[in-house]
Amino acid sequence: MVAFAGWSLPVQYRDSHTDSHLHTRQHCSLFDVSHMLQTKILGSDRVKLMESLVVGDIAELRPNQGTLSLFTNEAGGILDDLIVTNTSEGHLYVVSNAGCWEKDLALMQDKVRELQNQGRDVGLEVLDNALLALQAQVLQAGVADDLRKLPFMTSAVMEVFGVSGCRVTRCGYTGEDGVEISVPVAGAVHLATAILKNPEVKLAGLAARDSLRLEAGLCLYGNDIDEHTTPVEGSLSWTLGKRRRAAMDFPGAKVIVPQLKGRVQRRRVGLMCEGAPMRAHSPILNMEGTKIGTVTSGCPSPSLKKNVAMGYVPCEYSRPGTMLLVEVRRKQQMAVVSKMPFVPTNYYTLK
């Protein structure tokens, strides 16, 4: 167990990190992610509130559709990444990172007060629910709803293994066809126990979660993106809503929108190498041996049996196939810029 953002969290259970990782890819793992901040944004001006803080087009979300978005500051830096769902119950359901709990909550509460003082109809409620993440395939046995009708980034409230009032969202952080279940606290242990009765399912901790998300090319806030990286530098331009780009009405738009048209100094890329694994803070060098960037996340990939990483390099070195050097334990070794995800994702989309 490790201390994280005021919680005590499991790094790994009985199985080794590698076994747990591969079990997730081949079968199914259950992750307790109850440490995440879950909030409800209420009132008729809830979309106005959210759009004053994030880069995404929240107004265009259909009922029970969600999107990954970013809180940004006026300098264009990323304050956090979050998932916003437009629920059919008349509120926005927001999940953001535990490490940014106080910062995110203050940001949203300050904006709520500001809008309320202008006579706007808006409110915020912190949800005390637990949050369990696992693959969709093992959930079908516990719900009456047909999960084939719940594609990637959509959400519905249902009874799950006898626990009513659960919000099931088809999303996840492993690259697999995952769901996150927001469950009332009183039913959380019952639900986890019921899920674990399936022999396919094993508990998995933070170590596997980190290597799984890295194979899927997904960012970890504080490592791969932070207040000093913009969405364009972080290769997250797709989160910027088309209407929002045109209106330039989100925090930092004056910095971010010109970066879409021009060139940015650096960009987040994937890297692969043989030999010793690349780790966060490993220097990235060009073939002449000049330092050009830094690794932000790295680990051996259990699925590929190669080392994978992500980091920032100047634009001219960001093309897949570009050969670079990474310094690991004071030794230089070859690395190649690689497309992400490193391992193909299995998101369930209705074609």
Side-chain angles (χ1 to χ4, degrees), residues 256-281:
I256 295 166
V257 173
Q259 287 184 347
L260 289 166
K261 302 184 180 81
R263 282 171 73 82
V264 280
Q265 295 293 295
R266 57 187 190 137
R267 202 174 270 284
R268 178 175 64 95
V269 297
L271 296 164
M272 286 176 92
C273 80
E274 313 277 342
M278 302 169 280
R279 298 288 183 190
H281 312 300

Side-chain angles (χ1 to χ4, degrees), residues 185-196:
V185 165
V189 174
H190 170 88
L191 177 56
T193 308
I195 290 167
L196 288 164

Side-chain angles (χ1 to χ4, degrees), residues 41-47 90-91 121-123:
I41 310 288
L42 310 150
S44 57
D45 290 311
R46 61 190 179 276
V47 171
H91 64 268
D121 173 30
V122 70

Side-chain angles (χ1 to χ4, degrees), residues 138-172:
V138 298
L139 202 65
Q140 188 60 75
V143 298
D145 301 54
D146 182 358
L147 294 180
R148 287 176 301 186
K149 294 182 180 149
L150 193 76
F152 184 55
M153 295 310 287
T154 63
S155 181
V157 175
M158 60 185 79
E159 184 178 297
V160 184
F161 287 104
V163 181
S164 58
C166 293
R167 174 168 291 283
V168 176
T169 307
R170 196 111 177 206
C171 66

